[in-house]
Amino acid sequence: MISAAEAIKNYEKITPKNIPLAEPFSRGHRACQGCGEVLALRLVAKAVGQNLIAVSATGCMEIISSPYPQTAWNVPWIHVAFENAAAVASGVEAGRKALIRKGRIADAGAKIVAFAGDGGTADIGMQALSGALERGHDFTYVCLDNEAYMNTGIQRSSSTPFGASTTTSPSGSKSKGQMTWKKNMPMIAAAHNVPYVATASPAWHLDLMNKIRKAIATPGPAYVHIYSPCPTGWRCGPETSIETARLVVQTRIFPLYEVIDGKFVLTRDIKNPKPVEEYLKMQRRFRHLKPEDIEVIQKRVDADWERLLGFVKATNPEAAEKAE
Amino acid sequence: MARRVGLEVSLACAEAVKLANADVVAAYPITPQTHIVEHLAELVADGHLDAEFIPVESEHSAMSACIGSSAAGARTFTSSASQGLALMHEMLYIASSMRLPIVMAVANRSLSGPISIWNDHSDVMGERDTGWIQYFCENGQEVLDLTLTAFKIAEDPRVLLPVMVNMDGFILTHVIEPILMPEQAEVDAWLPPYVPQLCLDPAKPISMGMVGVPEVYTEAKRAQVQAINDSYPIILEHWASFAKQFGRSYQPVESYRTEDAEAVFVSMGSLSETIMSAVDEMRAAGQKVGVVRIRLWRPFPVAEFTKAVAKAETLVVIDRNLTFGAPAGPVATEVRALLFSQGIQKYVANFEAGLGGRDVTRDQFKEMLAKAQKAKAAGQDMTCEMVGVKE
Amino acid sequence: MADEGMTSWKSLALGCAMTEPGTARRFNTGDWRSRRRPITDREKCIKCGLCWIICPDMAYDPDPKAEGYYTWDSFYCKGCGICIAECPKQAISWIEEKEEDKYGPACGA
């Protein structure tokens, strides 16, 4: 099998001039006003195009796209359950592989993409995902991370950031909200030594779509973790999704990077980061935080950024040097 | 021409999957199913079976991968038992509701706790209401034949439902039996490749697994009820065509020495073979007794069963599993309900026997019958009794 | 007994699948808007297409009559205001909308 670097060398790059017009994910879906997750989903589908076989985990995107008889999917789509999108995608991939080999269906280069939220990925679906990544199926897994169980009413997940108030990690006289640090899912995916891992934000829609293009061009498993603002669950205005998705990167809270054949590449270096407070104050889920709490978060973000730079330096010294 | 071979029954099951040219096998190892999937892995590794073998990380993922593979249009097989089957539980309902013709061999084993790797029917009884066609095998030849017919039944466009082939763990899966192995060409002619009615195809996009809003959920379930009911004559049709092709005939209910029987045992799975020996001995001693073996458990063969027990006054129903806090085990409960609903009055005794690999001997079956007859004569109710418990 | 289903069970596709793609396009999400809608000032518009690509509800389409511009679709716009917040030239703004006008012809075209 060729390396990811080799496979993506001549990938079909999307520029402002050639953004695909087709919408494999249809309008008329029932996502909340200003949903950043459905925007991310729309962009992923656009980047893949019509030759997509989509597998969804149970969650917001599944519910809002498929109340019978209205489906928002213009492409073949299957939803089975909450914790198994990666396992179902494994089966779809293996089934098609066998049928293509036996000459029973044509190989038209269809791309299998599994979608799940942060709960369906980092919590209940982590085992199935780990298995599918380890087995090396040729598919792309997209985690649409809105940092809590939004579909069931804003309960905390292991992807909820420290300090966020949710319905099961409420802030109170004895609690600052979520008391644990966000699970680093893209690093866990990278630890499986899969050929391609990336993080993306809908505030950089071309970058997001091109990472998807690279992911589907890569033979074997690819994992793309997309920060997906949820105005409903984060308690902010529906018009703020892009602004939030921009600030989270500019504060270095959610760095944009790729891991190509194990080599870390910083896709957006943030030379002069904005203070995390700017990001936190936009969202009412953080409004109970005191200056000393924000200080703790700032320190953690700084340390995590240094740690990421360390990975870049260790795995990709040339790129690290260029950045400096 | 078929060859007679001496083969472990697990391997016979795997050979049937090979004869069926399965496209995908997704499985996770669990005792006593392991020999089935090990042999399949070997067949794939040696190029004897052209299939994708997905060594999944759990049974939940095994069934999830089977759902994906079947939805992609591939002939799909898996096998499990006990805790593994229980872990799949959630997925089994989805496989049948999506009308995916997956075939699964279950090497029946007890459920924890305490943990036990040995045989009973607790595992499959937990999956009774999952909407799968379910039947039980008694011997190695049945395992081979009924695994083959499972694909034929499941994939029939008039059926399109998953099929569970039950075989007693160890007692059946791990014994070597003489088995008539059909020729590949003969099977190929009888079982052509699976042609899906609907599948995940970019040329013809469909949405599978949509939200069943209250205005459609009931109708979706109604359609599923119809599907499994309608599968009944088609199961018989394919067993008949199998008999015509391969010379071995299977019925949803099998009767043994019931012609003039005053009492009949009702059983499922490999215990039936012991009961038949016990019946022979009791017959020799002058007792009018027989056995009715339920092969097809879902859809339940109501008319055939009722006919098979019509003449007997006493039924001794053997449940190889428990129902806690209920008046009787699941098989007996079902038998009583269906007789009652048809206005048929019989004395139905129920014994829970052979739990967690405990042997049940011919003498014990004789004792069960004696107990049932004594209770009946005394006008006592014999709702349910556990057999062979040391007090 | 009352018949409450939306369709006969006999007419459902196998496994309750939906065999027609994208049927959601017939679902009106425009009536989620309350009292206001976005309107584009084409004098200020620089045809960057950002409103089109970042709209979560796909309420903007390339204008077939005026190349580079985008039309707005009353049927899908839920009124989140992302296009207004993100337009680099502040060319899009809120305009009051009466309930009866919600279902009118697409504006901005």
Side-chain angles (χ1 to χ4, degrees):
Chain A
M1 206 161 66
I2 59 166
S3 67
E6 192 70 27
I8 66 179
K9 217 181 233 170
N10 300 310
Y11 81 97
E12 293 171 61
K13 192 171 181 171
I14 297 174
T15 69
K17 300 277 174 218
N18 71 354
I19 296 175
L21 289 175
E23 303 283 0
F25 187 80
S26 168
R27 39 193 164 187
H29 63 73
R30 303 188 193 190
C32 300
Q33 275 187 330
C35 173
E37 187 176 9
V38 83
L39 172 59
L41 172 56
R42 176 199 172 201
L43 294 172
V44 172
K46 251 178 139 43
V48 180
Q50 208 56 36
N51 208 0
L52 159 69
I53 298 176
V55 179
S56 283
T58 308
C60 287
M61 294 303 99
E62 169 264 329
I63 296 280
I64 62 95
S65 69
S66 75
Y68 192 92
Q70 280 115 13
T71 175
W73 297 90
N74 284 317
V75 291
W77 174 80
I78 184 169
H79 154 251
V80 178
F82 195 2
E83 66 280 54
N84 63 353
V88 175
S90 301
V92 174
E93 187 253 12
R96 288 184 59 83
K97 200 168 158 186
L99 294 177
I100 289 168
R101 187 171 63 233
K102 293 179 173 188
R104 298 229 303 276
I105 59 170
D107 183 7
K111 300 297 181 186
I112 297 159
V113 181
F115 296 93
D118 50 294
T121 302
D123 288 345
I124 200 167
M126 178 124 133
Q127 175 182 313
L129 171 61
S130 178
L133 294 180
E134 174 271 326
R135 290 190 300 270
H137 297 277
D138 185 12
F139 81 120
T140 296
Y141 187 98
V142 175
C143 172
L144 300 166
D145 180 5
N146 58 17
E147 304 195 318
Y149 292 91
M150 299 313 186
N151 187 41
T152 43
I154 324 169
Q155 293 86 16
R156 64 84 75 182
S157 77
S158 65
S159 199
T160 301
F162 181 88
S165 185
T166 72
T167 54
T168 52
S169 66
S171 59
S173 62
K174 294 188 174 168
S175 169
K176 296 181 196 306
Q178 175 91 339
M179 305 283 265
T180 52
W181 296 97
K182 182 181 174 81
K183 189 184 278 184
N184 195 335
M185 205 49 226
M187 290 294 274
I188 292 169
H192 287 75
N193 289 320
V194 292
Y196 187 81
V197 173
T199 63
S201 159
W204 284 272
H205 57 273
L206 290 174
D207 178 64
L208 186 156
M209 288 193 282
N210 282 321
K211 281 170 173 164
I212 293 298
R213 280 275 167 100
K214 292 183 196 175
I216 60 171
T218 302
Y223 176 89
V224 183
H225 194 103
I226 307 180
Y227 176 86
S228 304
C230 174
T232 308
W234 297 0
R235 318 279 196 210
C236 43
E239 74 289 353
T240 60
S241 282
I242 301 286
E243 176 62 10
T244 318
R246 191 161 37 235
L247 263 178
V248 79
V249 174
Q250 291 173 336
T251 51
R252 292 179 172 174
I253 293 171
F254 186 85
L256 297 183
Y257 62 95
E258 292 171 295
V259 189
I260 305 168
D261 302 317
K263 281 188 174 185
F264 281 69
V265 182
L266 211 52
T267 36
R268 181 155 292 268
D269 193 4
I270 306 298
K271 299 276 191 207
N272 302 302
K274 293 186 174 171
V276 295
E277 191 180 0
E278 258 188 60
Y279 169 81
L280 300 173
K281 75 181 179 195
M282 279 185 73
Q283 306 162 49
R284 281 200 288 141
R285 62 175 172 158
F286 294 118
R287 73 168 167 186
H288 56 282
L289 294 180
K290 297 193 171 71
E292 57 268 31
D293 304 324
I294 293 171
E295 186 56 34
V296 170
I297 294 172
Q298 183 67 62
K299 277 193 175 141
R300 173 78 179 212
V301 167
D302 293 347
D304 281 352
W305 179 263
E306 286 307 317
R307 198 162 156 267
L308 180 63
L309 292 185
F311 276 104
V312 178
K313 216 172 254 179
T315 60
N316 196 2
E318 282 172 37
E321 238 169 70
K322 241 187 256 171
E324 280 165 18
Chain B
M1 276 301 289
R3 292 171 297 128
R4 184 173 292 277
V5 293
L7 200 60
E8 190 190 292
V9 172
S10 289
L11 273 57
C13 179
E15 289 291 332
V17 177
K18 179 201 155 234
L19 286 168
N21 286 310
D23 300 310
V24 172
V25 176
Y28 187 81
I30 183 167
T31 304
Q33 149 268 36
T34 45
H35 292 187
I36 298 172
V37 296
E38 284 169 7
H39 191 58
L40 280 165
E42 271 173 28
L43 290 168
V44 172
D46 292 336
H48 298 311
L49 170 62
D50 183 7
E52 287 295 310
F53 185 92
I54 318 178
V56 282
E57 80 298 331
S58 75
E59 287 89 353
H60 193 282
S61 283
M63 189 45 62
S64 303
C66 286
I67 289 170
S69 152
S70 190
R75 180 170 287 166
T76 304
F77 176 83
T78 189
S79 178
S80 194
S82 184
Q83 308 305 118
L85 189 65
L87 186 58
M88 283 182 185
H89 179 70
E90 179 197 18
M91 291 301 109
L92 299 184
Y93 288 86
I94 300 176
S96 59
S97 73
M98 282 191 170
R99 309 288 303 276
L100 298 171
I102 299 160
V103 172
M104 170 160 61
V106 178
N108 299 120
R109 167 184 150 183
S110 54
L111 284 173
S112 295
I115 186 169
S116 156
I117 59 168
W118 297 278
N119 168 242
D120 68 27
H121 293 167
S122 312
D123 57 1
V124 58
M125 284 303 150
E127 312 311 327
R128 186 188 62 181
D129 298 336
T130 53
W132 285 53
I133 292 171
Q134 300 171 26
Y135 49 66
F136 285 79
C137 304
E138 270 175 43
N139 58 48
Q141 190 66 56
E142 284 195 22
V143 166
L144 180 112
D145 294 350
L146 297 181
T147 303
L148 273 177
T149 62
F151 289 102
K152 184 88 170 174
I153 293 162
E155 295 169 3
D156 187 306
R158 298 165 294 172
V159 177
L160 290 170
L161 283 170
V163 177
M164 196 184 290
V165 184
N166 290 283
M167 55 200 77
D168 286 323
F170 291 119
I171 294 168
L172 193 50
T173 56
H174 285 51
V175 296
I176 294 171
E177 292 194 8
I179 284 163
L180 275 169
M181 188 66 66
E183 291 294 330
Q184 184 68 59
E186 209 181 353
V187 175
D188 289 347
W190 183 74
L191 181 66
Y194 169 44
V195 181
Q197 303 292 298
L198 289 177
C199 69
L200 297 169
D201 176 7
K204 207 180 159 202
I206 61 165
S207 294
M208 300 176 77
M210 293 175 69
V211 179
V213 294
E215 295 76 18
V216 80
Y217 184 87
T218 303
E219 281 70 24
K221 289 326 234 187
R222 176 67 185 82
Q224 202 185 332
V225 166
Q226 192 71 27
I228 195 157
N229 290 343
D230 287 352
S231 75
Y232 183 69
I234 299 159
I235 295 168
L236 303 197
E237 182 186 316
H238 289 311
W239 280 348
S241 88
F242 183 87
K244 204 174 158 201
Q245 182 74 35
F246 300 97
R248 288 179 296 280
S249 156
Y250 295 100
Q251 301 301 325
V253 175
E254 303 272 4
S255 300
Y256 182 73
R257 304 189 79 167
T258 54
E259 318 78 56
D260 60 341
E262 286 162 6
V264 297
F265 287 92
V266 174
S267 76
M268 297 200 297
S270 63
L271 269 185
S272 308
E273 303 231 325
T274 316
I275 303 175
M276 285 192 279
S277 307
V279 161
D280 286 344
E281 292 178 8
M282 286 185 268
R283 281 273 177 184
Q287 285 181 279
K288 289 185 173 176
V289 59
V291 194
V292 168
R293 295 126 66 198
I294 301 170
R295 175 173 291 117
L296 183 62
W297 174 232
R298 286 292 180 270
F300 194 87
V302 175
E304 277 72 6
F305 180 82
T306 309
K307 203 175 143 205
V309 300
K311 289 182 193 158
E313 289 165 19
T314 304
L315 305 187
V316 181
V317 180
I318 313 297
D319 261 291
R320 209 164 189 176
N321 39 259
L322 301 168
T323 307
F324 297 100
V331 182
T333 301
E334 185 134 337
V335 165
R336 282 178 180 154
L338 84 88
L339 294 176
F340 182 82
S341 66
Q342 297 178 90
I344 302 167
Q345 193 67 38
K346 284 191 196 297
Y347 189 78
V348 182
N350 181 210
F351 292 93
E352 286 159 340
L355 302 179
R358 182 74 60 90
D359 281 337
V360 192
T361 63
R362 295 194 297 274
D363 284 347
Q364 280 176 314
F365 286 113
K366 292 174 197 165
E367 283 169 34
M368 285 182 230
L369 180 62
K371 265 195 173 174
Q373 284 171 330
K374 196 176 156 197
K376 182 174 180 253
Q380 289 166 347
D381 218 11
M382 264 224 64
T383 50
C384 191
E385 186 176 311
M386 285 173 83
V387 175
V389 184
K390 188 177 172 74
E391 294 297 337
Chain C
M1 273 180 274
D3 176 7
E4 292 167 345
M6 68 168 76
T7 180
S8 163
W9 63 270
K10 293 171 195 163
S11 62
L12 293 176
L14 189 71
C16 206
M18 176 47 61
T19 52
E20 184 190 346
T23 47
R25 67 185 177 277
R26 293 196 283 270
F27 187 70
N28 180 9
T29 55
D31 63 0
W32 295 19
R33 289 195 307 282
S34 90
R35 295 190 302 276
R36 57 185 192 170
R37 65 173 178 84
I39 186 161
T40 304
D41 178 352
R42 289 200 170 177
E43 295 290 308
K44 291 186 189 167
C45 174
I46 55 165
K47 307 181 183 177
C48 70
L50 196 67
C51 56
W52 166 66
I53 196 67
I54 62 169
C55 176
D57 299 313
M58 294 162 265
Y60 287 94
D61 284 302
D63 188 341
K65 294 179 206 144
E67 202 189 330
Y69 291 111
Y70 291 83
T71 57
W72 170 85
D73 197 326
S74 170
F75 193 75
Y76 299 110
C77 174
K78 294 171 188 159
C80 69
I82 285 183
C83 54
I84 295 171
E86 292 299 319
C87 176
K89 294 292 168 192
Q90 289 83 47
I92 313 174
S93 53
W94 290 117
I95 181 171
E96 263 189 58
E97 179 180 39
K98 287 182 196 144
E99 192 62 23
E100 57 267 32
D101 293 340
K102 257 190 199 173
Y103 309 101
C107 305

